Amino acid sequence: MLIRELRVTPVAFADPPLLNAGGVHQPHVLRAVLELVVDDGRGAEVTGLGECAGHAWQLDWLELVGSRLAGITVYDTEGVRRLVQGLLKGEVPGVDYGVEAAWRRWSDRTDRPESGGPAPVPAPAFDVNRVYSALEVACLDAQGRLIGTPVVDLLGGRARDSVPYSAYLFYKWAGHPDAEPDEWGEALTPEGVVAQARRMVARYGFRSLKLKGGVFAPEQEIAAVRALRAEFPDHPLRLDPNAVWSLQTALDAARELDGLLEYLEDPVAGTADMATVAAHATMPLATNMCVTRLEDVRPAVVAGSVGILLGDHHIWGGLRASVALGDVCRAVGWGLSMHSNSHLGISLAAMTHVSAATAAVHHDSDTHYPWNAAEDILVPGELELVDGSVAVPRGPGLGVDLDRTALERLHSVYLELGREHRNDRRYLESVVGARAEAPDQANPT
């Protein structure tokens, strides 16, 4: 049951021009697909899957950690975590931290990539969780495949057989500037947001709706929420301005949104201002920004900043840590949901297993999957959103398998792009500079 090797394949897949407080999504998302090859003890191999962000620094670190994984038993996830932490802190002897060494694997590149790593950095200046989490998912997938058990059972068993997700609504352009309009069309007005929601609900059966805000003036986004409430009187609604509002703006907006929202997510930045808004708002405040580590919990509880926490196994350190986070939320009286960023099906499968195993998840989880599902790298039909929910896969491990042809195609796209990082702001600025009409349509603040 020893780890033989870690294969990391960076991929790029198409993404619509979704607006947010930071700018606008670029035409392609960068992700990394992990394959952890394990000896099954009988001379054959089992491969566990993982997925994470595909930024250059993440690839650098995975490459470096992967070079040291061979020989560790796949059941020793704490040993894997200690290895990651030791490497990030520069405590593992004989390690070549040079960028050239870490990127030797990507010899098909013409230019050395821009990168923030690998280099030893003092914890907690760099978050071990973001490197370790995808490795832990791959370990658990391999464990489940080895013994014929779904990951949800390795996490303690099912609290539910299917996991409900929320429609993730975005303001968006009709299409990227150099492309034809996409199938979702434009959504820059309350009417456009409602039309997008209708399509989401009709196609996937979502029973709750979240709007990514922080794009237009607050009154415009409040008008969109009111339009959604009129169209969907029974759907719980959420609004996420990504902490770009001022304190006074947030207080005014919370008053205007009284009776409309299931929760208001990160209206302002920081524990103190969140607490001030929470003291005056009639709806709970949710966060995935001011509480992202266990060390953040106590200050937020003392201040009264948060009513609902949005966990994320990529950020909190994997699936087991996310299940434990449910116990923390129950202990302090918080609700729990799950945060999402642009992702493929491996992450959706992992989210589904961990949410199914976490009884404290009482709010529909976020997912970007409908925006990116057409380019998934899984065998088709293994994961489906039906009535707004994903059934927990019954197969061993995560219960999903790679479509090798799709993986190779998206890896080729990645290599052709030659882009190493995501930068929504830079992309917005490039478009605004090229199109005089863009500022009126895409002001991120």
Side-chain angles (χ1 to χ4, degrees):
M1 316 295 184
L2 301 180
I3 296 172
R4 289 183 176 177
E5 68 171 312
L6 175 68
R7 301 170 187 158
V8 181
T9 305
V11 297
F13 54 91
D15 204 22
L18 307 178
L19 306 179
N20 56 61
V24 61
H25 286 207
Q26 294 167 289
H28 291 87
V29 178
L30 307 182
R31 297 292 278 181
V33 175
L34 281 63
E35 297 175 79
L36 190 70
V37 182
V38 178
D39 188 326
D40 72 351
R42 297 181 296 273
E45 293 180 347
V46 165
T47 301
L49 302 177
E51 178 192 334
C52 63
H55 309 303
W57 63 261
Q58 184 99 24
L59 299 175
D60 282 352
W61 280 112
L62 288 171
E63 177 72 7
L64 185 57
V65 174
S67 71
R68 293 296 183 112
L69 282 174
I72 298 176
T73 172
V74 75
Y75 292 102
D76 186 12
T77 52
E78 185 55 33
V80 173
R81 182 177 180 83
R82 285 195 302 271
L83 173 64
V84 173
Q85 185 164 338
L87 287 167
L88 265 63
K89 293 177 69 175
E91 296 176 348
V92 178
V95 174
D96 181 357
Y97 283 96
V99 172
E100 290 291 356
W103 277 89
R104 199 170 293 133
R105 176 169 183 156
W106 315 116
S107 58
D108 48 359
R109 294 181 175 277
T110 56
D111 299 312
R112 189 170 76 181
E114 175 189 358
S115 174
V121 292
F126 191 91
D127 193 349
V128 171
N129 289 340
R130 292 179 186 266
V131 177
Y132 169 72
S133 58
L135 293 167
E136 189 230 31
V137 171
C139 285
L140 290 172
D141 185 31
Q143 291 175 25
R145 292 173 189 268
L146 283 166
I147 62 175
T149 298
V151 164
V152 66
D153 292 338
L154 299 178
L155 300 175
R158 299 165 188 258
R160 54 189 65 85
D161 289 323
S162 63
V163 173
Y165 288 92
S166 174
Y168 211 148
L169 309 176
F170 283 83
Y171 291 105
K172 68 179 292 293
W173 298 331
H176 287 284
D178 58 352
E180 294 295 319
D182 59 51
E183 63 169 317
W184 291 96
E186 184 178 85
L188 299 171
T189 63
E191 295 77 16
V193 170
V194 168
Q196 184 185 109
R198 285 198 203 102
R199 284 194 80 168
M200 281 275 187
V201 171
R203 181 175 296 186
Y204 298 106
F206 290 116
R207 299 181 183 182
S208 59
L209 307 170
K210 172 176 172 175
L211 175 62
K212 177 66 78 175
V215 177
F216 295 112
E219 55 268 25
Q220 291 176 259
E221 297 181 356
I222 292 169
V225 171
R226 292 187 183 281
L228 288 168
R229 171 53 67 229
E231 181 72 17
F232 300 95
D234 298 322
H235 280 60
L237 303 179
R238 305 119 176 233
L239 176 64
D240 175 16
N242 265 143
V244 299
W245 289 348
S246 69
L247 178 57
Q248 188 57 55
T249 294
L251 291 169
D252 294 342
R255 187 170 53 252
E256 291 293 320
L257 291 164
D258 179 27
L260 296 175
L261 294 182
E262 176 188 16
Y263 60 72
L264 177 60
E265 181 181 340
D266 287 311
V268 291
T271 298
D273 282 357
M274 284 282 285
T276 301
V277 178
H280 293 84
T282 57
M283 75 289 290
L285 298 193
T287 187
N288 76 286
M289 296 179 71
C290 73
V291 179
T292 59
R293 304 174 303 155
L294 286 175
E295 293 83 354
D296 299 329
V297 173
R298 180 180 175 83
V301 171
V302 171
S305 305
V306 178
I308 298 168
L309 181 63
L310 275 67
D312 185 327
H313 72 272
H314 301 91
I315 295 171
W316 283 88
L319 304 187
R320 289 194 174 116
S322 297
V323 173
L325 185 62
D327 293 331
V328 172
C329 288
R330 287 196 297 179
V332 301
W334 290 348
L336 179 63
S337 183
M338 293 289 170
H339 166 260
S340 168
N341 210 318
S342 300
H343 63 87
L344 294 170
I346 297 172
S347 283
L348 180 63
M351 290 173 65
T352 300
H353 280 275
V354 74
S355 295
T358 308
V361 176
H362 291 306
H363 300 271
D364 296 356
S365 296
D366 293 349
T367 180
H368 285 64
Y369 192 65
W371 296 109
N372 309 122
E375 293 209 283
D376 204 359
I377 40 79
L378 296 182
V379 173
E382 292 186 325
L383 286 178
E384 292 185 352
L385 272 162
V386 179
D387 294 331
S389 298
V390 176
V392 182
R394 294 281 177 178
L398 292 174
V400 297
D401 296 290
L402 283 177
D403 180 333
R404 186 68 54 182
T405 299
L407 179 67
E408 291 173 357
R409 180 177 64 81
L410 295 188
H411 178 55
S412 296
V413 174
Y414 175 87
L415 295 174
E416 291 168 4
L417 279 179
R419 181 163 62 83
E420 310 297 344
H421 300 278
R422 171 179 171 175
N423 193 321
D424 292 0
R425 170 65 63 180
R426 185 177 299 170
Y427 180 57
L428 173 63
E429 290 172 348
S430 72
V431 175
V432 168
R435 296 170 59 197
E437 71 273 17
D440 291 336
Q441 298 181 346
N443 178 9
T445 59

